[in-house]
Amino acid sequence: MTVQSRILATCTLGLGFSYKGLRNGLDRVPDLIACDAGSADFGPYFLGTGKLQKSRETLKRDLKLLLHGARDLNIPLMTGSAGGAGAHTQVDAMANLVREIAREDGLHFRLAVIPADLSKERIARAWRAGGLTPVGSVSPLDEDILAQTEAIVAMMGVEPFQAALADGADVVIAGRATDPSIFAAVALNAGLPEGPVWHAAKCIDKGYLATTRPQDGSPVLATIDAGGFTIEPTREGSACTVKTVAGITLHENTDPFRVAQPTGTIDTELAHYQQVDERTVRVTGSRYIRAAGPTLKIEGARRVGFRKLLIAGLRDPRLLERLDEFLDTYRAMIARAAHSLGIAADDYTLTFRPYGRDAVMGRLEPLRDQVGHEIGLLVDLVGKTAAVTNALASRLGPTGSRLDIHGRLGGGGNFAYPFSPSVIDMGTVHEWSLWHIMDIAPEELTSLFPVTVEDL
Amino acid sequence: MARLDTVASYIKSGNAGASFITFDIGFADEDRFRAVTRSPALSAAAIARLYNLDAADVAIFAYAPAHIIKITIPRPGSSGGIDERDFDGVQQFAPLLDLDIPG
C-alpha cells in the first residue's frame, strides 16, 4: 500500500476558522491536526511581558473544537509558538487552557508541553565562540543588552515534536517553533521523504491563506505521498489554486524559494505546481537541503522604557500651516520642562506622530506637504523609568495646548481631546535585543526543548 | 505609461521577520508579469530612490509560478522599536502604487 499522510491545518490559534470546514476535514480522517499559535510579527512586547497576545475566550473557542476533533479520531493535535511569542509563561497559560477544557468536557489524553526558553548563559557561550549571527538590522549585541534581556526563546524544529510523539503525546503545546515544524512530525515519522513533507508543511502553515477566500476561514488538507503532495480547502466555496499555493512560500519571507529550518532549507525553486481540479493543487519537485550543521533562530526582548500617549485633534488652519514650527517649539518647551524636573535629555524619547501628514511613512512620505483640514496628533512619550514618564506626561497636554504659535490664540487651547483622562498609559516598551542565528550541537535540537508529559 | 496600481492585481507589504520589509506585487497574467519584470521602472535603483536606500540593499525576485514580483528591503530599525510607525509593515507599499510603468 502506498504510504500517505494527511494533515489538517487551521490558521493561527485564536483567529477563528470555519466550523463546517473543520467537520469536513475531520471526515477525511487526517493523521494530524495542527496550527501555529503565534508570530514574532506581533512585536517584542509579547515576548518581553509574557502576556497572551489573544484573549482567553477566542483561544478557548478554537482549542475546544480542535481538541474534540482530535480526540474523536484519536489523532494528535499540535500547536507551537503558544500564546503569541512562545515564551514559558504563554506556554503555561495555553497548557492550563487545555487542562481546563479537558476537565470541563471530560476528555482524557496525554498532554506534552515543550518550552522554548533559552538561558542567557547559553547565548553568552555562543556569542563568545562566534556562533551567534545577527539577522538584518538588529542592534549589535553587548553584555549590557544581554543583561537587560528579559526573555529569550529559540525556534524549535520538528525534533521536539517527534520526541513528544515518541512519549505517546496526544496533544502537544509547544513554545516558539518554526511554523512548518509544527506540521511535519507525523508525516516524517511515517517515513515520507523530507522534500514533500517540509514543503507541504510550509504551504499549510498559514491555513486558509493558501485559499482563494481567506475570509471564509477554511482549513486546508495536505495529503503527502512519496512523490509530492496535494493541498485543498475543506470548506465548500473556497479553492486552492496554483497562485494561492505558490504564493504561500513568499509570505513573510525574504527569499521566495528558500525557507530556512534548524536542520536545512526548504527549497522550492524546482517545485512544479499543477491544478488537478478546480480546488486542488498538486506539488512535486520540492526539496529539503540538509545544512552542514544545525542552527536555531533566537529571539530576545528587552525593556527599553515606559510609554504614555496623548491624542489631540488639531483643527486650527493657522496652526496647521506652521505645523513644523509648532512641533519644534513644543519639543523645546518639553525639553525645558524636563530640565526643570531634573530629567536628563537621554532619559526620555518624545515622538510626534501627526496622523494626516506623515505619521505612517515618516521621512519617506512623498505627500508630506499636503496637510488636510485637521490632524490627529499622537504625542508619544517613552521614559527610561516609570517615574520619568509619569513626571513628564502631565506636562504634555498643557504645554502643547497653550503654545500660541500665531499670536492669536487669546489664551485658548490648541488641542481637542477626545478622552478624559487625556493621557493614556501604555505600560512597558520592549525591543528585539536578540534576532540572531545560533550554531548548536546536533543533540541540542532536542535537549534545549525538554518535553514533559502528563495524563489528563 | 500606466500606474503600477492599474497594471498589478495587488500590491502588498509586510514584515519578513523583524529586520526586513517585503513587497509582493501580483499580476493577473503572464503578459503583465513579464512586461513589468522586464521594465526598468521596478529596478533596484528605482526602488532605492523611492525608499531612500542603497540599490545594493534592494533584493528583487521574479516569481514565475505565481506571477509575483517580490521586493525585499531592510527596515530602518528592527520592528517594534520606540520610533516604529507600522510594526507589521502593511502600509509601506503606498509609494509603489504611483510608479510609472512604460506601456
Side-chain angles (χ1 to χ4, degrees), chain A residues 92-161:
Chain A
D92 290 347
M94 289 277 292
N96 281 335
L97 216 45
V98 171
R99 294 179 189 112
E100 185 179 306
I101 295 167
R103 200 167 53 239
E104 288 171 359
D105 295 1
L107 296 176
H108 299 282
F109 52 84
R110 181 167 288 185
L111 169 66
V113 178
I114 317 177
D117 293 60
L118 218 57
S119 70
K120 287 182 189 176
E121 291 69 34
R122 181 65 189 87
I123 296 291
R125 188 149 57 82
W127 186 42
R128 285 194 298 266
L132 199 62
T133 312
V135 184
S137 52
V138 68
S139 315
L141 188 64
D142 62 33
E143 276 171 31
D144 284 345
I145 288 178
L146 185 57
Q148 290 159 12
T149 295
E150 299 163 290
I152 306 170
V153 289
M155 294 178 93
M156 69 182 79
V158 71
E159 296 76 14
F161 291 91

Side-chain angles (χ1 to χ4, degrees), chain A residues 40-44 135-139 242-243 246-247 249-258 268 271 273 304-305 307 349 351-355 358-364 366 380 382 429-432 435, chain B residues 9-10 12 15-20 22 24 26-29 50-52 59 61-70 72 74-88 91-95 98:
Chain A
D41 280 352
F42 304 134
V135 184
S137 52
V138 68
S139 315
V242 168
K243 274 194 180 187
T249 53
L250 280 76
H251 186 75
E252 297 173 350
N253 208 356
T254 49
D255 180 323
F257 296 114
R258 276 160 283 271
T268 68
Y273 301 82
V304 290
R307 170 173 276 145
T349 308
T351 309
F352 296 130
R353 302 166 180 275
Y355 283 91
D358 59 351
V360 176
M361 300 291 303
R363 61 187 171 83
L364 301 182
D380 171 6
V382 177
V429 183
H430 304 259
E431 72 172 22
W432 295 118
W435 191 263
Chain B
S9 51
Y10 64 85
K12 67 177 180 182
N15 287 353
S19 33
F20 296 95
T22 191
D24 290 355
F27 297 90
D29 52 53
L50 210 53
Y51 287 93
N52 270 339
F61 304 90
Y63 189 61
H67 300 153
I68 291 171
I69 295 177
K70 187 172 188 66
T72 301
R75 276 178 154 275
S78 75
S79 139
I82 284 182
D83 57 354
E84 181 59 74
R85 297 168 183 282
D86 181 3
F87 75 82
D88 281 333
Q91 282 286 298
Q92 300 303 309
F93 63 82
D98 292 324

